[in-house]
């Protein structure tokens, strides 16, 4: 945008220099103004509105009778919210860790200059193209004890085979992890594979000349140089974990009971189906806090890195 | 040139005249399963016969939660549909916010005050004015049973929850699922309130309408939770998250023996070509034969712009209460008409039993609103009860005493 505006400005400078120049000066600002305005209103404006609502006693529709921190107090006394937060901890932690681990392993294996790499890469990345709703529904059928995996194994003759995590309140959150890992590890692999390809070939050759084994080369040279990739993957995965909603909605709908609720589902239920907009907004603000807790240190390290260069 | 213009104007005027009468109604509802969809189609056909356009706005989801979400966003943005399936205390909430239109002239012309029982017309009024038209009365405390399964397993139909447990064990031993159930919170609550109702309508009312702390913490309530927990062993392992109509089809197919569900389940039996009293039987839920938990569906009318739309909306309200629609709709839906003195001959034995029980219980005080279906309490309290009930049903380690304490605290916190 910028260059275009500048070009058209310089092309017209021969006639009426001062007026055209000022237009050229203003052009970038005029072009950018709608974007800035939309961002300010639709992103930050609504964030602030949600924050305001979280301090009101809003129920079915927004109202502005301020009640201080009462909604937050109610939120943290709410059993269901604590379940959702705990689940986010378990789900987020396992999901990020397993995805990173699998992603790195898959990327290293794929990096061995094998045949048909393009095809295999596409196959691994494919789950990412499917929406979480589809993933959730498919895994719901697979994990259903009466017509999924368990039934298949029993039909094969393993009569005592039992796999009922989907209906077990203590284990159901791990079902979410399975489905989410299946979906996202291919994406992490793609990120790392791109990173691996970016590593300087001479460096690896030098290491080999020095007598380093492939394992040592990866451990000491290649993987450490992939730190930025690692951080990008971490940030993307933690966002997926915190905002996760559709997977739960399709796979378990929060059940059994509300054992597999995540904060986003809690927010939706209370804000939109239980007429508790105030309480829902408070939970949304806590989620925003979680995102900021990850984003701010990341941005800080990024910006500091730039300054050193 | 002038002639063409004149001609065009005439065409335009005649078109305008034709459409002034025929308006459009947009109806938001969640009648999407087989029997339900057939039932609402009756109204659609009648509106089309009256030269109006019917814009269907169906949002799937048994409990109507998704439909309500859509409705709220439409209402806030100032573009509500002409009519929406709203019921019970929620009508009052919408009335408070000033979204509903006054139907008094239609009601007066149709003598709604005469043809409707008091308990129904009270729910349809906000501030003394009609704002909604009732379409049916559902009895929620029904038990649907497959007699074939009972015969094969040598069990008999239970009339109390103690007996239910005895018979269910026999059925389970014979290799059938005793209780067809879907593990969604409102279905858990439907089963739960049926058990609570067996403790008497007075206990039910003080717990779920009065929300009295003593009733919620009473020994009776602990017993209710105890019985409720025992139901857990009579459902099949795949029950989690199942839709109610899938559970009904288990009874239809002979995989399961019984289902505790409102009489909309009958619509599924009818749609599957089954006959009441032969292929399936209906009984009041164990221990609740004298009582009646009602769930009244209604279409609340929103304020809309435009004379033609308003006219169509009034026609819709008028048609809903007319005997023809009441009969066909309720035959399809499985419920009973809201009008008194309707001809009964087309209805089956289950509907007759329901009509008798409705009239009888209204005089004895055993006619109570259903908590699980949003007739007794507002959505906040209902949600709080749902959470405790459904969590208890799925959590093997929670005791009934803990559940009762949680229930009382959750209800208090949501008020």
């Amino acid at each position: 945008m910028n260059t275009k505006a500048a070009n058209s400005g310089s092309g017209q400078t021969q006639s009426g220099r001062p007026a055209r120049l000022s237009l050229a000066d203003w052009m970038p600002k005029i072009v950018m103004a709608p974007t800035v305005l939309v961002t300010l209103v639709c992103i930050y404006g609504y964030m602030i509105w949600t924050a305001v609502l979280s301090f009101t006693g809003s129920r079915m529709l927004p109202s502005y009778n301020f009640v201080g921190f009462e909604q937050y107090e109610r939120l943290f006394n709410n059993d269901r919210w604590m379940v959702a937060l705990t689940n986010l901890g378990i789900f987020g932690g396992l999901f990020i860790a397993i995805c990173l681990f699998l992603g790195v392993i898959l990327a290293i294996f794929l990096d061995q200059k094998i045949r048909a790499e393009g095809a295999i890469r596409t196959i691994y990345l494919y789950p990412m193209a499917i929406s979480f709703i589809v993933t959730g529904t498919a895994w719901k059928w697979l994990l259903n004890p009466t017509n999924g995996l368990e039934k298949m194994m029993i039909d094969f003759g393993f009569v005592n085979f039992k796999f009922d995590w989907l209906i077990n309140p203590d284990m159901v959150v791990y079902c979410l992890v399975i489905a989410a890992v299946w979906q996202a590890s291919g994406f992490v692999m793609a990120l790392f594979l791109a990173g691996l390809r970016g590593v300087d070939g001479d460096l690896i050759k030098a290491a080999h000349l020095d007598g380093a084994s492939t394992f040592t080369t990866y451990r000491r040279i290649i993987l450490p140089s992939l730190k930025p990739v690692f951080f990008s993957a971490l940030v993307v995965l933690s966002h997926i974990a915190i905002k996760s909603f559709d997977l739960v909605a399709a796979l378990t709908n929060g059940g059994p009971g509300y054992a597999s609720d995540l904060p986003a589902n809690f927010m939706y239920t209370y804000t939109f189906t239980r007429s508790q907009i105030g309480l829902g907004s408070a939970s949304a603000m806590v989620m925003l806090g979680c995102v900021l807790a990850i984003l701010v240190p990341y941005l800080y390290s990024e910006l500091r890195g730039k300054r050193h260069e | 040139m002038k002639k063409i213009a004149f001609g065009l104007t005439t065409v335009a005027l005649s078109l305008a005249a034709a459409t002034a009468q025929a308006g459009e109604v947009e109806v938001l509802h969640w009648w999407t399963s087989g029997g339900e969809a057939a039932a609402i189609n009756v109204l659609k056909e009648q509106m089309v016969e009256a030269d109006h356009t019917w814009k269907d706005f169906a949002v799937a989801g048994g409990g109507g939660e998704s439909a309500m979400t859509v409705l709220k966003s439409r209402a806030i943005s100032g573009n509500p549909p002409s009519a929406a399936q709203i019921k019970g205390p929620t009508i009052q909430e919408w009335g408070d916010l000033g979204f509903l239109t006054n139907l008094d002239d239609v009601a007066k012309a149709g003598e709604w005050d005469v043809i409707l029982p008091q308990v129904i017309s009270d729910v349809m009024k906000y501030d003394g004015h009609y704002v909604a038209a009732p379409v049916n009365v559902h009895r929620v405390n029904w038990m649907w049973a497959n007699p074939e399964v009972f015969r094969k397993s040598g069990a008999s139909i239970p009339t109390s929850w103690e007996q239910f447990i005895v018979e269910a064990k026999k059925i389970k031993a014979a290799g059938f699922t005793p209780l067809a159930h879907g593990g969604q919170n409102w279905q858990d609550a439907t089963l739960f309130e049926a058990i609570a109702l067996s403790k008497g309508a007075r206990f039910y009312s003080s717990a779920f309408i009065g929300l009295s702390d003593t009733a919620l913490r009473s020994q009776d309530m602990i017993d209710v939770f105890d019985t409720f927990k025992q139901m857990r062993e009579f459902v099949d392992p795949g029950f989690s998250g199942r839709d109610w109509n899938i559970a009904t089809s288990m009874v239809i197919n002979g995989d399961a023996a019984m289902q505790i569900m409102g009489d909309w389940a009958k619509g599924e039996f009818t749609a599957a070509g089954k006959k009441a009293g032969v292929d399936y039987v209906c009984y009041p839920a164990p221990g609740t034969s004298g009582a009646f938990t009602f769930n009244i569906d209604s279409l609340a009318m929103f304020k809309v712009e435009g004379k033609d739309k308003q006219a169509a909306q009034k026609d819709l309200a008028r048609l809903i209460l007319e005997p023809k629609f009441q009969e066909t709709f309720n035959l399809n839906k499985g419920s009973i008409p809201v009008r008194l003195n309707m001809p009964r001959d087309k209805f089956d034995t289950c509907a007759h039993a329901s009509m008798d029980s409705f009239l009888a219980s209204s005089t004895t005080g055993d006619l109570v609103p259903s908590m699980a279906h949003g007739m007794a309490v507002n959505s906040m309290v209902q949600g709080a009860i749902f959470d405790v009930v459904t969590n208890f049903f799925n959590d093997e380690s929670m005791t009934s005493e803990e559940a009762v304490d949680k229930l009382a605290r959750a209800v208090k916190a949501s008020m």
Side-chain angles (χ1 to χ4, degrees):
Chain A
M1 274 291 168
N2 245 332
T3 43
K4 226 185 222 171
N7 280 346
S8 66
S10 65
Q12 288 155 353
T13 40
Q14 278 134 347
S15 57
R17 195 177 171 102
R20 294 295 166 101
L21 189 70
S22 79
L23 179 65
D25 279 346
W26 277 103
M27 209 53 182
K29 294 185 180 86
I30 293 169
V31 171
M32 285 305 290
T35 325
V36 173
L37 195 71
V38 167
T39 314
L40 277 182
V41 173
C42 293
I43 301 178
Y44 296 97
Y46 287 153
M47 264 187 210
I48 293 167
W49 192 34
T50 311
V52 170
L53 285 180
S54 75
F55 292 107
T56 67
S58 303
R59 294 214 143 168
M60 192 158 118
L61 295 177
S63 70
Y64 297 98
N65 54 325
F66 288 93
V67 294
F69 282 92
E70 195 184 287
Q71 301 285 12
Y72 290 89
E73 242 168 73
R74 284 179 63 205
L75 186 67
F76 282 94
N77 283 324
N78 188 316
D79 192 40
R80 187 165 175 171
W81 172 250
M82 296 320 283
V83 170
L85 265 193
T86 321
N87 279 344
L88 179 63
I90 300 172
F91 170 74
L94 281 177
F95 166 67
I96 294 169
I98 299 175
C99 270
L100 283 177
F101 178 75
L102 277 182
V104 171
I105 299 279
L106 286 175
I108 289 176
F109 283 162
L110 253 190
D111 194 31
Q112 305 307 315
K113 299 190 174 60
I114 50 170
R115 242 190 301 170
E117 188 208 303
I120 295 174
R121 199 175 51 206
T122 315
I123 292 170
Y124 284 159
L125 193 55
Y126 193 66
M128 196 68 189
I130 301 173
S131 100
F132 264 124
I133 289 285
V134 180
T135 308
T137 311
W139 278 97
K140 180 163 103 180
W141 291 335
L142 282 174
L143 297 171
N144 184 316
T146 41
N147 52 20
L149 267 177
E150 185 176 309
K151 181 170 183 295
M152 188 185 81
M153 293 305 276
I154 290 173
D155 289 349
F156 280 163
F158 301 93
V159 193
N160 292 320
F161 184 84
K162 203 167 170 188
F163 188 70
D164 61 350
W165 286 8
L166 196 64
I167 59 160
N168 182 338
D170 298 326
M171 303 304 284
V172 67
V173 64
Y174 301 105
C175 289
L176 296 178
V177 177
I178 294 174
V181 163
W182 177 85
Q183 169 111 335
S185 48
F187 162 70
V188 179
M189 178 211 72
L191 274 185
F192 273 97
L193 194 59
L196 286 174
R197 293 290 148 82
V199 175
D200 192 353
D202 294 340
L203 213 61
I204 300 166
K205 271 185 200 143
H208 279 300
L209 281 179
D210 285 345
S213 68
T214 313
F215 180 73
T216 323
T217 323
Y218 270 109
R219 194 169 66 89
R220 304 292 293 268
I221 296 171
I222 302 180
L223 288 182
S225 69
L226 291 184
K227 222 179 194 169
V229 180
F230 175 79
F231 274 113
S232 313
L234 189 70
V235 167
V236 172
L237 289 178
S238 41
H239 278 207
I240 295 180
I242 293 171
K243 73 182 181 198
S244 231
F245 171 83
D246 33 8
L247 182 65
V248 182
L251 184 61
T252 63
N253 202 11
Y258 46 82
S260 61
D261 242 14
L262 289 181
N265 302 79
F266 177 95
M267 193 281 288
Y268 178 81
T269 309
Y270 276 77
T271 312
F272 298 112
T273 65
R274 294 213 178 147
S275 309
Q276 307 244 33
I277 288 184
L279 191 69
S281 305
S283 71
M285 292 319 289
V286 176
M287 282 167 65
L288 179 66
C290 291
V291 173
L292 288 182
I294 295 166
L295 205 61
V296 168
Y298 172 72
L299 281 180
Y300 181 72
S301 72
E302 283 279 288
L303 293 176
R304 208 184 45 175
K306 290 274 158 58
R307 210 177 297 144
H308 276 300
E309 275 165 18
Chain B
M1 195 63 194
K2 262 188 179 169
K3 266 184 186 169
I4 297 174
F6 178 72
L8 281 177
T9 324
T10 342
V11 171
L13 278 176
S14 59
L15 272 178
T19 48
Q21 303 281 311
E24 180 189 83
V25 281
E26 191 179 8
V27 182
L28 179 125
H29 62 90
W30 62 90
W31 287 308
T32 48
S33 82
E36 296 175 332
I40 191 68
N41 257 337
V42 178
L43 188 58
K44 181 183 175 177
E45 277 159 21
Q46 289 192 343
M47 282 301 281
V48 173
E49 264 172 45
D51 276 336
H52 296 299
T53 332
W54 173 282
K55 200 167 159 196
D56 204 54
F57 188 179
V59 181
E65 285 191 346
S66 358
M68 283 300 105
T69 309
V70 176
L71 179 61
K72 272 177 213 164
S73 61
R74 287 278 303 260
I76 291 173
S77 66
N79 178 30
S82 320
Q85 190 186 347
I86 307 177
K87 59 186 191 181
T90 324
I91 295 177
Q92 309 301 320
E93 285 179 44
W94 282 101
D96 279 337
L97 294 168
F99 278 108
L100 301 181
T101 190
N102 189 327
L103 295 175
D104 279 350
D105 46 344
V106 187
K108 202 163 185 197
E111 295 186 314
W112 288 10
D113 276 329
V114 182
I115 58 171
L116 295 179
Q118 174 97 34
V119 65
I120 297 181
S121 57
D122 281 351
V123 180
M124 298 305 134
K125 285 177 183 170
Y126 171 72
D127 205 13
H129 301 288
Y130 278 102
V131 291
V135 292
N136 62 4
V137 179
H138 277 298
R139 187 184 193 183
V140 182
N141 57 325
W142 272 119
M143 179 174 74
W144 307 91
N146 186 323
E148 184 74 18
V149 176
F150 272 89
R151 197 165 54 243
K152 278 182 189 160
S153 47
S156 51
I157 303 281
T159 53
S160 71
W161 287 105
E162 291 77 32
Q163 201 197 341
F164 181 97
I165 290 162
V166 176
E167 304 298 338
K169 280 181 179 153
K170 287 185 202 163
I171 297 167
K172 200 176 177 186
F176 297 101
T177 304
L179 183 63
H181 184 62
Q184 295 171 331
N185 56 12
W186 67 271
Q187 293 188 56
D188 292 338
T190 302
L191 180 58
F192 178 75
E193 77 172 16
I195 299 173
L197 187 62
S198 72
K199 294 279 176 192
R202 177 176 296 212
F203 165 73
Y204 180 96
S205 306
S206 56
F208 296 137
I209 306 168
L211 300 173
S212 109
D213 203 54
T214 34
L216 289 173
R217 288 181 187 276
S218 63
Q219 181 59 43
D220 275 349
M221 192 55 94
I222 296 176
D223 292 346
V224 169
F225 271 105
D226 278 339
T227 312
F228 184 53
K229 186 49 112 1
Q230 282 174 291
M231 295 302 126
R232 183 72 172 72
E233 59 185 283
F234 300 129
V235 300
D236 63 317
F239 79 103
S240 204
R242 177 187 286 147
D243 283 322
W244 69 269
N245 46 337
I246 312 275
T248 309
S249 69
M250 290 169 63
V251 180
I252 296 177
N253 300 336
D255 295 330
M258 295 170 271
Q259 184 185 21
I260 306 288
M261 183 51 64
D263 48 18
W264 48 91
K266 197 169 67 185
E268 297 297 303
F269 284 102
T270 312
K274 302 288 178 185
K275 256 185 82 99
V278 183
D279 302 307
Y280 69 96
V281 288
C282 51
Y283 287 92
T288 66
S289 59
F292 192 112
T293 32
F294 67 80
N295 174 20
I296 300 170
D297 282 322
S298 48
L299 288 173
M301 303 294 166
F302 280 76
K303 286 178 183 154
V304 287
E305 297 290 321
K307 281 234 152 51
D308 51 337
K309 279 193 175 177
Q310 284 164 0
Q313 190 180 42
K314 302 247 147 138
D315 269 353
L316 180 72
R318 177 176 58 81
L319 283 171
I320 288 172
L321 261 292
E322 276 183 4
K324 192 177 159 216
F325 168 73
Q326 286 285 327
E327 184 178 272
T328 344
F329 180 87
N330 287 303
L331 282 173
N332 275 308
K333 185 95 174 14
S335 42
I336 60 172
V338 292
R339 287 177 72 111
L340 300 170
N341 60 48
M342 284 264 302
R344 281 186 168 206
D345 44 324
K346 282 192 188 156
F347 288 90
D348 60 17
T349 49
C350 297
H352 285 173
S354 190
M355 291 176 198
D356 292 340
S357 171
F358 184 64
L359 286 178
S361 60
S362 64
T363 56
T364 58
D366 289 325
L367 182 66
V368 288
S370 164
M371 176 276 294
H373 295 277
M375 300 301 295
V377 286
N378 64 32
S379 48
M380 304 161 222
V381 179
Q382 189 196 23
I385 299 177
F386 276 17
D387 273 353
V388 176
V389 166
T390 193
N391 202 33
F392 172 79
F393 194 58
N394 288 288
D395 186 350
E396 276 162 26
S397 60
M398 202 196 296
T399 67
S400 302
E401 284 78 11
E402 283 168 3
V404 164
D405 180 52
K406 271 194 173 183
L407 182 69
R409 281 193 291 120
V411 165
K412 198 177 255 176
S414 65
M415 278 197 287

